[in-house]
Amino acid sequence: MASCDMVDVTDIIQKTEDTLESLWNQFELFCPKCLHFKMGQCIAALLQHEYLLNTDCEVINCIFLLCQVAQPQELNPFNKTIFNYVNRKPVDSKVTSAMYLINLLPFSQSTLSSTTAQILRDVTFINAPLKNFPYSPKPDCSLPIILDDPENDSKEEKHYKEVLSQLFDSDIPASVFLPPIVRPSPPLYSDNDDLVWLCPNDNEYSFAWDSNICEGKDKPEDAKKLFILAQRQVLETHQYDRLKHELYEKEDTLQSLSLSPSSLPKLVDKNPSLAVDVLLLLAQTQQFADYLTVLLNMDLSLHSMEVVNKITANLELPPQFIHFYIRNCITNCTEMSDKNTQHRFVRLVCVFLTALIRNRLVNVQEILIETQAFCIDHSRIREATGLFRLLKSLDSKEMS
């Protein structure tokens, strides 16, 4: 771009009756895309030195062109220049005009169809102009490339165009001047004992060894992490032992866990033994009844029956809980449609009921009729036949 083309760009900046869309088309006509960044640096330099811009119209046109030369707006390298301009003091009509234009980002078609003069007539004061502007201020250690001459306060248009032309024709970046940072080489350190470890003498050295260096140290958050892991996968033996030790040895461990009745089904499914330990510790709390309710409504599984069997053996549970659980087991087996799955769970339920009866954990008379009917319905299964004989023998003993 020749220097005469700069005159055309300065004329664009000073126009007031052309629409913003027309200004951009004229800018692209005089300045090819490969020079947009260079021209943007020159326009940014004008904004950095407000005495080079005499009217609100010039400010709006400069900021509009800076917003357009690099898209998207979030990656615009001139966001810093725009941000610093609208935050300068004192707040005059130029700053207010810039604030108003920035609040119109992203520019709609109606904005692009407006002239600079129309936008100026609509300008209102904005208290928080950069609420959605994509730039965060950062520390600045650079110097401006244009310095005001205190002996020459000329603001003539000729002077303004000369500065812009010189900026564009120069090889120096038009935004800031970065002074070179001098880093002198440090002097060599001279000492007779400086390199003693490169050539060790005949002295004997003994080494101190920390015998506990490989031992893990328990941290408060370890129990929380293991408990969360226990709801996702089966714990390894050493992990289970460690968490169990934390639960029984430290009273506040149970309260620190993210434990709730809704987390019990996952714990029962993945780590039934840990679920038993947790329920035993919760037995004296007010929330224990909520956990029993969740356990009662769980889907029938080997692990759930294992958990109920163990807590029944270690705690005195409400009789109605055991009776309801047994009825749920019988009902679930009856409603299963797949025969193979049904036969497998019938065996499990029969073994479970046999263990409860032999350990005298349930009153046989209260479940006798339902259990006998269950055994008769599945009389082809060996475990059901064995349970039926056990019930008959106990019933005959009580009769005698």
Side-chain angles (χ1 to χ4, degrees), residues 47-320:
L47 281 178
Q48 289 174 336
H49 308 279
E50 62 273 10
Y51 51 82
L52 294 177
L53 298 175
N54 297 324
T55 66
D56 299 354
C57 165
E58 294 173 356
V59 171
I60 285 187
N61 289 341
C62 284
I63 290 182
F64 169 72
L65 292 176
L66 285 184
C67 291
Q68 293 294 105
V69 293
Q71 295 291 335
Q73 191 65 42
E74 292 79 7
L75 303 179
N76 194 318
F78 304 113
N79 283 344
K80 175 184 175 182
T81 302
I82 300 173
F83 179 90
N84 290 338
Y85 185 83
V86 297
N87 281 278
R88 68 183 181 88
K89 304 295 182 180
V91 178
D92 53 16
S93 62
K94 295 179 183 178
V95 174
T96 305
S97 302
M99 290 178 181
Y100 181 78
L101 182 66
I102 291 174
N103 274 271
L104 297 178
L105 284 171
F107 299 129
S108 63
Q109 187 58 43
S110 61
T111 302
L112 295 175
S113 301
S114 302
T115 65
T116 308
Q118 290 174 336
I119 292 176
L120 286 174
R121 285 195 293 269
D122 295 336
V123 168
T124 55
F125 182 75
I126 306 295
N127 285 324
L130 301 186
K131 183 177 181 181
N132 298 318
F133 191 66
Y135 178 76
S136 300
K138 300 178 179 64
D140 192 358
C141 59
S142 60
L143 301 174
I145 196 172
I146 303 176
L147 299 178
D148 192 13
D149 184 0
E151 299 181 357
N152 182 10
D153 58 352
S154 173
K155 295 185 179 180
E156 298 178 357
E157 182 179 341
K158 177 181 178 181
H159 174 67
Y160 159 75
K161 292 183 177 181
E162 287 178 357
V163 170
L164 197 58
S165 297
Q166 291 175 10
L167 283 174
F168 188 82
D169 292 337
S170 66
D171 295 329
I172 304 174
S175 54
V176 294
F177 171 70
L178 296 175
I181 301 177
V182 180
R183 298 183 179 89
S185 302
L188 293 176
Y189 181 73
S190 177
D191 194 313
N192 295 331
D193 298 330
D194 189 33
L195 304 179
V196 64
W197 290 104
L198 291 180
C199 301
N201 50 29
D202 297 334
N203 293 338
E204 294 183 1
Y205 301 97
S206 59
F207 296 92
W209 180 257
D210 184 2
S211 58
N212 298 323
I213 193 170
C214 295
E215 293 184 3
K217 297 181 180 180
D218 293 338
K219 298 180 181 179
E221 62 269 16
D222 286 350
K224 295 181 182 179
K225 293 179 180 178
L226 285 176
F227 185 76
I228 294 174
L229 184 64
Q231 300 175 56
R232 300 174 181 172
Q233 64 184 47
V234 179
L235 293 181
E236 297 181 10
T237 303
H238 72 278
Q239 291 176 323
Y240 167 70
D241 293 339
R242 182 175 178 180
L243 183 53
K244 183 178 179 180
H245 174 78
E246 291 282 328
L247 289 172
Y248 282 96
E249 295 298 327
K250 299 180 181 179
E251 296 181 358
D252 59 338
T253 301
L254 188 63
Q255 286 75 20
S256 66
L257 301 179
S258 55
L259 181 62
S260 65
S262 60
S263 61
L264 183 62
K266 297 179 181 178
L267 199 62
V268 171
D269 181 52
K270 299 297 182 182
N271 295 276
S273 298
L274 181 60
V276 172
D277 295 326
V278 171
L279 289 172
L280 292 178
L281 291 172
L282 289 170
Q284 304 304 323
T285 64
Q286 296 179 350
Q287 295 81 17
F288 185 59
D290 297 333
Y291 288 90
L292 291 182
T293 302
V294 172
L295 193 60
L296 188 63
N297 295 323
M298 281 183 58
D299 293 335
L300 182 63
S301 67
L302 172 62
H303 287 170
S304 66
M305 287 188 288
E306 177 186 346
V307 170
V308 172
N309 186 35
K310 288 185 178 180
I311 65 172
T312 305
N314 290 277
L315 296 174
E316 186 175 349
L317 297 178
Q320 60 270 25

Side-chain angles (χ1 to χ4, degrees), residues 11 13 24 49 137 179 261 274 310 322 354 372:
D11 290 339
I13 294 174
W24 178 244
H49 308 279
L274 181 60
K310 288 185 178 180
I322 301 177
T354 301
Q372 282 184 336

Side-chain angles (χ1 to χ4, degrees), residues 11-58:
D11 290 339
I12 293 174
I13 294 174
Q14 294 174 338
K15 289 185 177 182
T16 61
E17 299 302 327
D18 288 19
T19 64
L20 295 182
E21 187 173 20
S22 175
L23 290 179
W24 178 244
N25 292 334
Q26 294 176 53
F27 180 84
E28 287 189 309
L29 178 64
F30 295 121
C31 182
K33 192 168 184 178
C34 60
L35 296 178
H36 278 191
F37 181 72
K38 177 76 172 180
M39 181 55 69
Q41 288 183 305
C42 298
I43 297 175
L46 296 180
L47 281 178
Q48 289 174 336
H49 308 279
E50 62 273 10
Y51 51 82
L52 294 177
L53 298 175
N54 297 324
T55 66
D56 299 354
C57 165
E58 294 173 356

